[in-house]
Amino acid sequence: MEKESKIINLVRGEVKTLRAYEAPEIPCKIKLDAQENPYPLPVKLRNKILKAIKPLLINRYPDSGAKELKRIIAGQNGVKVENVLLGNGSDELIQAIITTFGRSQGKVLYPVPTFSMYGIITKALGQIPIEIPLQGDFDLDIDSMLTAIKKDRHRVIFLSYPNNPTGNCFSESKIIEIIKRAKTAVVVDEAYFDFSGKTFLPLIRKYENLIILRTLSKIGLAALRIGILIARPEIVKEINKVRLPYNVNSLSQAAARVALENRDIIDKQINAIINERERLYRELLRIDGIRLFPSVGNFILFRTIKNADKIYQGLINRGILIRNMNQRGLLNNCLRVTIGTSHENRYFLEVVRTLI
Ligand code: PMP
C-alpha cells in the first residue's frame, strides 16, 4: 500500500488532475452514443476484407508509412501523398499536432463546448487550455476569439467543423478570419465531413497554417482506428517526426484499403444516415418539451424542458444509450443522440415521447 502511494506521487501534476475520457460502456441493445455508423458492412465487403487480411504476415511489423492506404486516401481527396499523415484515430493526430507545436506551458485555444479530447490532450501534454465560450447560437464569438489571439501567441487552435456536440458548422468567414489573424497552426477538424459536405480542404494551398483532420471512424470503420491529417507537405513532414512508428496496424491498413476501394457501398450508408437525420429531426420537432439544434453531423443535440439526467436514465432503462451532455451553461439539460438505423430511430422516438 505504502509503495503504491509513493509511485503515485511521481505522477505529473497535470495528469493527476485530469479526468480520463469517458466512454460509458453501459450495456444497451440500442447504442446511439458514439457517432458510429449503425450499419455493419455488407457480408460481401466483409468477405473481401477477410481475403485481404488472410495473407498478412502478422509476425512482421506493418508498413510504417501506410503507403498504399495513404495513396488511396490522397487520391480520393484530390491531394498528394505528401499532404497526408495517418493516425491511430484522429485522437492520435490531435496529440501529434500539440506535441509538434507545443512548448513548455504553451497555450492551446478552442471554443467550448466542443470535442473533449482537445482539452484532455492539451492538459496531458502540459499545455494550457484557453477556452472561449460559443455564442448562444453555437457560432464562434469572433470578437472574443480575436481578442484572445491578439493577447497570446497560441501554439494551436482547434475548430471542430461541424462542432461536436452542437452539430453546426461555424461561420466560414469567422474561421477564415481566425486562420488569417492567428500566426499559429489552425486545425479545422472535419470528423463529420462525410455528413456535412463542407470543407476547408482547398484552402491548404492558400494558408500555410491550416491543418485539416478527418477520420474513418464515423463512416463505418470505427474499429480500425484511422485518422487522417491533410496539410502542406512541410507541416506533414514535421508532425510525422513525432508520430510513433507503426501507429496504424497491418489489419487496419488492409481493411481500410478494401473498404475505401468500395466507397460506393459506404456512400450509400452515409446517404441513408443523412436521410434518417432529416427524418429524426422532423419527428423530434413535433415533440413539445424539446428544443432542437440543427445538425449537419450524424448526431442531433437537443435540450429538454424536463431534467435531462432523468430522460437519459429513462432511455437506458428502456435499452437505449445516448450521450448525456447536461452541464451548467450552454449545454444545460442537453442530450446528444447519434443517428441510428430507421428501426432504432423509431424506437428511440417512441420511448422519448413517453419520457418528455
Ligand atoms: N474529432 C471530433 C470532432 C470527434 O467528434 C471525434 C470523435 N468523437 C474525433 C475527432 C476522434 O475520432 P477518431 O479518434 O475516432 O478518429
Side-chain angles (χ1 to χ4, degrees):
M1 248 349 245
E2 205 190 323
K3 261 188 193 156
E4 189 179 276
S5 65
K6 270 188 197 154
I7 190 79
I8 289 249
N9 289 338
L10 297 179
V11 173
R12 269 178 33 226
E14 294 99 337
V15 176
K16 251 190 167 168
T17 52
L18 263 185
R19 273 182 50 200
Y21 178 83
E22 278 173 45
E25 303 213 347
I26 302 166
C28 276
K29 62 177 190 278
I30 295 186
K31 196 173 172 305
L32 303 175
D33 66 322
Q35 291 129 329
E36 293 149 327
N37 173 346
Y39 306 106
L41 291 178
V43 175
K44 225 170 139 186
L45 184 50
R46 277 148 86 173
N47 285 337
K48 274 193 194 168
I49 289 174
L50 275 181
K51 213 169 144 194
I53 283 173
K54 205 169 171 196
L56 291 179
L57 298 174
I58 56 173
N59 55 321
R60 302 290 181 194
Y61 283 110
D63 169 11
S64 176
K67 288 185 280 302
E68 198 46 32
L69 179 58
K70 263 203 304 208
R71 191 185 56 73
I72 294 170
I73 288 172
Q76 293 190 350
N77 287 289
V79 295
K80 298 206 172 107
V81 171
E82 302 78 62
N83 291 111
V84 179
L85 190 71
L86 301 182
N88 193 276
S90 43
D91 287 338
E92 192 189 45
L93 293 169
I94 294 166
Q95 187 183 44
I97 293 166
I98 301 177
T99 305
T100 302
F101 290 98
R103 63 167 180 201
S104 174
Q105 303 274 297
K107 290 177 180 156
V108 175
L109 178 73
Y110 50 89
V112 282
T114 193
F115 181 41
S116 60
M117 287 311 290
Y118 304 149
I120 292 175
I121 298 172
T122 294
K123 289 176 211 155
L125 294 178
Q127 308 295 295
I128 300 167
I130 306 292
E131 302 184 336
I132 307 288
L134 290 170
Q135 297 176 166
D137 62 357
F138 293 146
D139 199 358
L140 292 168
D141 176 347
I142 190 68
D143 292 340
S144 302
M145 291 292 283
L146 292 180
T147 306
I149 287 168
K150 217 166 162 188
K151 184 162 162 264
D152 282 310
R153 177 123 195 216
H154 304 96
R155 311 310 296 172
V156 189
I157 298 174
F158 285 97
L159 301 170
S160 172
Y161 187 81
N163 188 40
N164 174 13
T166 55
N168 59 310
C169 279
F170 305 135
S171 301
E172 219 176 295
S173 57
K174 290 183 180 179
I175 295 185
I176 301 232
E177 197 157 355
I178 289 170
I179 298 170
K180 277 191 190 159
R181 297 268 202 106
K183 292 178 178 43
T184 190
V186 178
V187 179
V188 177
D189 181 348
E190 299 179 353
Y192 303 94
F193 160 73
D194 298 274
F195 308 97
S196 74
K198 293 181 74 169
T199 181
F200 278 78
L201 183 59
L203 294 187
I204 58 167
R205 288 198 195 95
K206 191 162 176 192
Y207 301 111
E208 54 137 26
N209 56 335
L210 175 61
I211 298 174
I212 304 291
L213 282 184
R214 299 268 183 88
T215 179
L216 300 187
S217 297
K218 318 295 174 186
I219 61 169
L221 307 171
L224 304 184
R225 306 299 297 129
I226 293 184
I228 303 163
L229 180 152
I230 307 178
R232 293 266 189 98
E234 59 270 28
I235 299 185
V236 169
K237 206 167 148 195
E238 294 304 317
I239 301 174
N240 189 43
K241 293 178 188 169
V242 306
R243 176 181 67 88
L244 294 180
Y246 316 118
N247 61 330
V248 182
N249 73 70
S250 307
L251 305 183
S252 290
Q253 288 186 34
R257 241 170 29 223
V258 176
L260 290 180
E261 277 164 358
N262 292 271
R263 206 36 238 209
D264 52 324
I265 295 174
I266 291 175
D267 285 341
K268 256 191 218 152
Q269 295 187 340
I270 292 169
N271 281 336
I273 293 166
I274 292 171
N275 287 337
E276 275 302 310
R277 177 187 73 203
E278 299 310 307
R279 196 178 65 83
L280 184 61
Y281 189 86
R282 281 196 303 275
E283 293 294 327
L284 283 169
L285 261 185
R286 294 166 53 181
I287 304 176
D288 284 338
I290 282 183
R291 156 108 200 264
L292 271 181
F293 300 100
S295 169
V296 289
N298 62 345
F299 56 90
I300 296 176
L301 184 78
F302 59 98
R303 174 172 291 129
T304 54
I305 290 179
K306 282 196 191 157
N307 183 316
D309 296 344
K310 285 199 179 132
I311 292 167
Y312 172 73
Q313 192 53 50
L315 284 161
I316 290 177
N317 296 345
R318 299 283 302 274
I320 303 171
L321 184 63
I322 63 167
R323 187 72 192 243
N324 188 359
M325 307 301 308
N326 188 12
Q327 54 186 268
R328 255 198 244 144
L330 285 169
L331 294 181
N332 190 32
N333 279 324
C334 280
L335 299 166
R336 189 195 69 198
V337 61
T338 297
I339 311 302
T341 63
S342 54
H343 169 77
E344 289 172 336
N345 298 335
R346 236 176 281 133
Y347 181 58
F348 164 73
L349 279 164
E350 191 185 305
V351 177
V352 163
R353 284 193 195 102
T354 65
L355 296 170
I356 297 286

